[in-house]
Amino acid sequence: MDQKIIALYSAAISEAAKKAIEYIETLDDRSVFPEAIHLEQAKELGGKMPKFGTPPVEVISTLHKLGSPATVANMSGRYFGMVVGGSTPASVGASVLSSAWDQVAVSSMSSPIACQLESIASSWLLDLLSLPSQSSVGFTTGTTQANLICLAAAREHQYAAMGIDVSNCGIAGAQPLKIVLSEQAHITLKKSLRILGFGEQQVLTVPADEQGRINSSALPELDKSTILCLQAGNVNTGAFDNFEAITEIARPAGTWVHVDGAFGLWARASNKLKYLAKGASKANSWAVDCHKWLNTPYDCGLAICDTPTSVERVMHTQESYIPSTNAPQPKDFLLEFSRRARGVEVWATLSELGSEGVSELIERCCNHAKRTAIALRKLGFTVLNSVEINQVLARIGNDRDTARLVERVQQSGAFWFGTTQWHGHLAFRISFSSWATSDSDVDRLIACIESAI
Ligand SMILES: *Cc1c(COP(=O)(O)O)cnc(C)c1O
């Protein structure tokens, strides 16, 4: 490479590293949610598309100057909205190195190292989550895509069992499948079903209990034309469906069981908490996010399936310019053809933490939640969930009091969590999923909530 080109990369990466470090170092001094003035200033990034270019270092320094103050401080450990997590040091570092590698993880022809790292990470993950070792693991953009892939495989498999090859004939004339969901199923799961041609009226919705677990006794008859979607970790309560009892009925009946375990499935990586997701390994497919509770950078989920051939039959992409191999190739288990090597950051995080470290991360977040729930009850709040994992769902007084409290906490800039609806009332939800949240952050969070009452 030309020395001038090398110098450009070197200057841009050095500047980015310097600014990224400065960003992390000053996180504690800033509001978790960006202030209005910073969002206003960030508008300067816009205007007309520039006609002429700007030197790379200048691009980075402008991005830092105007963009950094306008970010949500996910990495601070003080953000408890959605289930966001942060990114571990090794995963951020790996992301920088992997950007410089610029690998395209289509197949071992496009990047042998990307495939190798993803294959290593896959077997570590199956072990960590105690899932069947022959399962396929696709590194997706997140759980939305993972749900889509798993349900596409389920559709393929269930029709194949009925003697119908839907990849060939399509589903238009085929006998409809029975799709069974909990009323608490995540909205993105419904989106996946829509994309796959399962309309809302075709879906059988099963009521859930007080904590949001699917009501096992209200399940319709399950048979070999059924796809049943269960959940590990309700977004509000953190509750788990009863996998043990349900798979015992569903599997012998020939029903495909899919588990949406975006964050909750990680409980299986903890020695103390794995009992909560007991029996989940008896499902057929699982969707889980690395970018939530494993604390890798964004754009990373896993589509795991116990019968890899079902995924491959829908996702395969053979082209004459890609040599066929016996080894499974990423392109045949995912929606994308070209994509970045997401598994690199997963490998880095798993190497950094080890199985003990992942277990500790999960348990630490759950302990934060338990401690917060106890403190909230003492302060007169109603805690609405049984707080078995990382989610705390609570309210105070009426809807207006609850909304006002959340607003005051958000305005403090010290912490951020949001509201939700639970059984017809406004509640707030504090989600602990960041590697960086410390015991003293939790002490300060409780003090902040107390002063906002
Ligand atoms: C976050 C979440 C999803 C969607 O995952 P993305 O990674 O945001 O696509 C699906 N299901 C559950 C239970 C979730 O928490």
Side-chain angles (χ1 to χ4, degrees):
M1 208 196 282
D2 191 306
Q3 286 304 316
K4 275 193 209 137
I5 297 177
I6 294 175
L8 286 174
Y9 278 114
S10 167
I13 295 168
S14 303
E15 180 73 3
K18 208 171 82 194
K19 299 303 191 202
I21 294 166
E22 195 179 301
Y23 178 75
I24 300 282
E25 281 175 347
T26 54
L27 271 175
D28 252 5
D29 310 331
R30 52 159 294 174
S31 168
V32 177
F33 197 84
E35 289 164 37
I37 180 166
H38 295 132
L39 294 172
E40 192 55 38
Q41 284 166 353
K43 288 184 182 157
E44 282 175 47
L45 294 162
K48 260 182 83 179
M49 162 84 195
K51 185 159 185 197
F52 301 104
T54 306
V57 170
E58 209 178 301
V59 172
I60 301 297
S61 77
T62 304
L63 189 61
H64 176 60
K65 181 167 160 258
L66 298 171
S68 292
T71 55
V72 174
N74 292 348
M75 292 284 281
S76 65
R78 295 180 287 123
Y79 182 82
F80 307 115
M82 309 226 298
V83 188
V84 162
S87 292
T88 65
S91 72
V92 175
S95 166
V96 174
L97 182 59
S98 162
S99 291
W101 284 0
D102 195 25
Q103 298 296 283
V104 49
V106 173
S107 70
S108 52
M109 180 199 79
S110 65
S111 176
I113 188 63
C115 294
Q116 201 173 329
L117 285 167
E118 290 192 352
S119 157
I120 297 165
S122 296
S123 64
W124 288 356
L125 286 161
L126 293 176
D127 198 35
L128 192 61
L129 298 170
S130 308
L131 296 178
S133 60
Q134 83 283 359
S135 304
S136 60
V137 180
F139 289 79
T140 67
T141 47
T143 289
T144 303
Q145 195 199 116
N147 278 334
L148 180 68
I149 291 170
C150 291
L151 292 171
R155 187 181 71 172
E156 177 75 23
H157 182 275
Q158 295 308 72
Y159 272 125
M162 293 156 70
I164 302 168
D165 176 1
V166 281
S167 285
N168 190 30
C169 322
I171 57 167
Q175 168 195 337
L177 293 181
K178 197 191 284 181
I179 312 293
V180 184
L181 285 191
S182 161
E183 63 173 336
Q184 284 289 322
H186 197 265
I187 192 74
T188 59
L189 194 77
K190 296 179 190 168
K191 170 153 108 178
S192 302
L193 290 168
R194 230 160 42 219
I195 296 170
L196 291 168
F198 300 118
E200 283 182 27
Q201 282 182 14
Q202 276 175 280
V203 172
L204 297 170
T205 305
V206 180
D209 71 10
E210 181 66 18
Q211 291 293 314
R213 286 176 290 245
I214 197 168
N215 184 346
S216 326
S217 57
L219 285 170
E221 196 189 328
L222 303 173
D223 56 25
K224 65 181 175 48
S225 70
T226 309
I227 298 173
L228 168 65
C229 302
L230 299 178
Q231 195 175 60
N234 178 282
V235 284
N236 285 311
T237 64
F240 294 79
D241 288 342
N242 188 344
F243 305 114
E244 189 79 349
I246 298 173
T247 50
E248 223 157 79
I249 310 163
R251 288 301 300 262
T255 289
W256 180 288
V257 182
H258 171 67
V259 176
D260 175 357
F263 61 98
L265 206 66
W266 290 106
R268 290 179 64 82
S270 145
N271 298 326
K272 288 190 191 134
L273 299 166
K274 59 165 68 135
Y275 74 94
L276 290 166
K278 197 163 171 257
S281 59
K282 293 175 191 152
N284 300 81
S285 59
W286 307 264
V288 59
D289 268 327
C290 296
H291 58 213
K292 284 181 179 167
W293 219 349
L294 187 62
N295 283 236
T296 68
Y298 265 84
D299 223 27
C300 191
L302 308 168
I304 308 175
C305 182
D306 76 339
T307 46
T309 47
S310 309
V311 186
E312 209 175 356
R313 276 204 304 266
V314 219
M315 296 294 158
H316 70 90
T317 41
Q318 196 46 50
E319 254 300 350
S320 54
Y321 59 83
I322 306 211
S324 63
T325 58
N326 288 327
Q329 301 295 327
K331 68 182 176 63
D332 298 321
F333 295 88
L334 290 171
L335 293 186
E336 295 113 325
F337 201 58
S338 311
R339 67 172 171 94
R340 61 185 207 90
R342 303 182 179 111
V344 175
E345 292 142 10
V346 178
W347 176 90
T349 308
L350 295 174
S351 301
E352 177 185 22
L353 299 178
S355 54
E356 279 303 311
V358 178
S359 173
E360 265 168 35
L361 162 65
I362 302 304
E363 289 166 15
R364 191 162 69 237
C365 291
C366 298
N367 290 337
H368 290 333
K370 286 214 165 71
R371 204 149 70 76
T372 303
I374 292 169
L376 287 178
R377 279 198 200 96
K378 275 196 195 139
L379 291 171
F381 287 80
T382 308
V383 176
L384 301 160
N385 65 330
S386 53
V387 194
E388 285 178 313
I389 52 167
N390 62 327
Q391 305 288 103
V392 181
L393 183 69
R395 60 187 259 114
I396 189 160
N398 59 24
D399 283 7
R400 258 189 47 216
D401 301 325
T402 303
R404 200 159 37 209
L405 177 113
V406 172
E407 209 178 290
R408 284 192 189 131
V409 171
Q410 288 178 356
Q411 276 167 1
S412 77
F415 299 95
W416 201 99
F417 53 79
T419 55
T420 185
Q421 286 285 330
W422 189 245
H423 297 323
H425 293 290
L426 195 77
F428 61 84
R429 192 176 65 147
I430 306 177
S431 174
F432 293 95
S433 50
S434 170
W435 178 84
T437 303
S438 64
D439 285 338
S440 79
D441 288 327
V442 177
D443 292 337
R444 285 162 53 222
L445 168 69
I446 294 165
C448 175
I449 293 173
E450 184 172 8
S451 69
I453 296 173

